[in-house]
Amino acid sequence: MAIQWFPGHMAKARREVSEKLKYVDIVFELVDGRLPISSRNPMLDAILQQKPRLVLINKADLADAQQTKKWESYFKQKGYYVLAINAQDNKGVKNIVPKCKEALKEKIERNRQRGIKPRAIRAMVIGIPNVGKSTLLNRLAGKKMAQTGNKPGVTKGQQWLRYGSDLELLDTPGILWPKFEDQEIGKKLALTGAIKDQLLHLDDIAIYGLDFFARYYPTQLMQRYQLSEEDMELLAPDLLMKITEKQGFRDDYNRGSERIIHDIRQGKLGRYTLDRCEEVGYEDEA
């Protein structure tokens, strides 16, 4: 399954990011807590260079809490400031401004010593589609100002939003890379809904999800679909057939796949994190 998706507006967005970087003090890089690495744009490091960065691990309520702690340590080790948040429920959002001030304390102090009047911190919000940027912007703005939707790529404009007297935010459209060199990253993004379902073979994605849960969260998988220890010995394609049958869909494996993918996305199988720290060679004992 080769996934390639790079709409023209995303290429334009990449140029806009580079052009507008000089207007901001700090960049908020929003990632999905269930896949903190796979939901990052690999071009960002080259684009952002030395600009101060706050990595916001969003949807932390859906992710494996232990894994999130490990990823927080990973990003801190990389030299980034980091916060785990849940923009949907407004959890952790109030800590963003204090964290910004911490990241920019040297610049703020230099300006104070020079007699420069304090102003709001200017930040750019960036992230690939479906990581929750619009939801975060709405929370920070205090009202529904950014268009939101469950489909990736819904946010195509660019606008400034103000958060009290402390923060001015520049929204940017979501940007993705032109080609998924690693097809597993594509499957991870597909499983969480970051890629349009029309571009996928749903049974491939469901099988990937079943294989992952059987390996890392077998109890959650067993409980959701009333599976036996014997069922868990099945290969993922056979497990898909078993679950499809148990759901009453007979041999409609496409429908069975849709149900499994929906359940995973909605957290029906519990909290999970698809990206594992050991995959990037980081072994933290958090």
Side-chain angles (χ1 to χ4, degrees):
M1 179 188 62
I3 302 173
Q4 296 185 38
W5 184 46
F6 197 59
H9 75 269
M10 291 188 178
K12 179 181 177 183
R14 182 174 61 183
R15 291 193 298 271
E16 289 177 349
V17 169
S18 299
E19 293 168 0
K20 296 182 181 296
L21 203 56
K22 60 186 176 183
Y23 299 120
V24 301
D25 304 304
I26 190 171
V27 172
F28 295 168
E29 182 185 359
L30 203 59
V31 300
D32 188 323
R34 297 166 296 178
L35 54 173
I37 291 295
S38 297
S39 62
R40 299 182 75 218
N41 189 308
M43 296 182 294
L44 279 185
D45 290 341
I47 295 171
L48 301 183
Q49 299 180 13
Q50 301 303 312
K51 181 70 68 172
R53 193 182 320 188
L54 172 58
V55 177
L56 298 173
I57 304 178
N58 194 28
K59 305 186 182 183
D61 59 311
L62 301 176
D64 182 326
Q66 186 177 9
Q67 286 293 315
T68 297
K69 289 181 180 178
K70 292 183 178 182
W71 283 115
E72 286 183 87
S73 297
Y74 169 84
F75 286 122
K76 288 176 183 176
Q77 188 184 72
K78 290 288 185 181
Y80 307 141
Y81 289 84
V82 59
L83 275 177
I85 66 171
N86 174 15
Q88 186 67 44
D89 293 334
N90 212 23
K91 293 181 180 178
V93 175
K94 66 180 180 181
N95 298 322
I96 291 177
V97 169
K99 187 63 72 171
C100 279
K101 292 180 178 179
E102 179 185 343
L104 297 170
K105 60 184 177 183
E106 292 182 4
K107 180 177 182 178
I108 293 172
E109 178 59 22
R110 283 198 306 270
N111 288 344
R112 188 190 67 80
Q113 291 178 0
R114 294 171 182 169
I116 299 175
K117 186 177 180 180
R119 61 163 173 78
I121 294 171
R122 292 170 183 160
M124 177 187 293
V125 185
I126 198 164
I128 72 166
N130 215 44
V131 292
K133 284 196 303 92
S134 295
T135 301
L136 175 64
L137 289 167
N138 289 332
R139 292 298 181 191
L140 289 173
K143 54 184 176 179
K144 192 168 185 178
M145 296 182 68
Q147 182 186 15
T148 59
N150 292 323
K151 295 182 179 180
V154 71
T155 308
K156 297 182 181 180
Q158 194 168 40
Q159 58 184 322
W160 283 93
L161 302 174
R162 190 169 183 87
Y163 178 51
S165 59
D166 294 311
L167 192 62
E168 292 178 351
L169 297 157
L170 176 63
D171 178 29
T172 57
I175 53 177
L176 271 175
W177 43 94
K179 183 178 180 181
F180 295 96
E181 298 292 349
D182 184 343
Q183 290 300 307
E184 184 158 337
I185 290 177
K187 290 178 181 179
K188 289 178 179 180
L189 290 165
L191 188 59
T192 57
I195 300 173
K196 296 176 182 178
D197 287 342
Q198 297 95 314
L199 300 174
L200 314 169
H201 296 298
L202 293 183
D203 55 342
D204 284 345
I205 304 306
I207 287 170
Y208 175 81
L210 289 173
D211 188 60
F212 176 84
F213 272 85
R215 179 179 180 185
Y216 291 104
Y217 305 103
T219 301
Q220 295 173 196
L221 185 61
M222 293 173 68
Q223 290 177 346
R224 176 61 183 172
Y225 299 114
Q226 292 83 50
L227 300 171
S228 66
E229 294 284 354
E230 184 178 349
D231 292 333
M232 295 299 290
E233 296 297 323
L234 296 171
L235 294 176
D238 296 321
L239 195 54
L240 170 60
M241 290 189 283
K242 170 68 77 170
I243 293 173
T244 297
E245 183 181 340
K246 290 176 73 71
Q247 293 291 310
F249 301 146
R250 297 191 178 184
D251 58 354
D252 190 345
Y253 303 123
N254 195 59
R255 191 176 175 191
S257 296
E258 288 179 348
R259 172 62 63 83
I260 291 166
I261 293 169
H262 176 269
D263 287 350
I264 291 173
R265 289 177 181 172
Q266 297 299 313
K268 302 293 186 181
L269 277 71
R271 297 168 65 153
Y272 63 95
T273 300
L274 296 170
D275 286 340
R276 320 297 287 190
C277 277
E278 57 267 26
E279 294 175 345
V280 295
Y282 184 73
E283 296 289 345
D284 183 76
E285 298 301 322

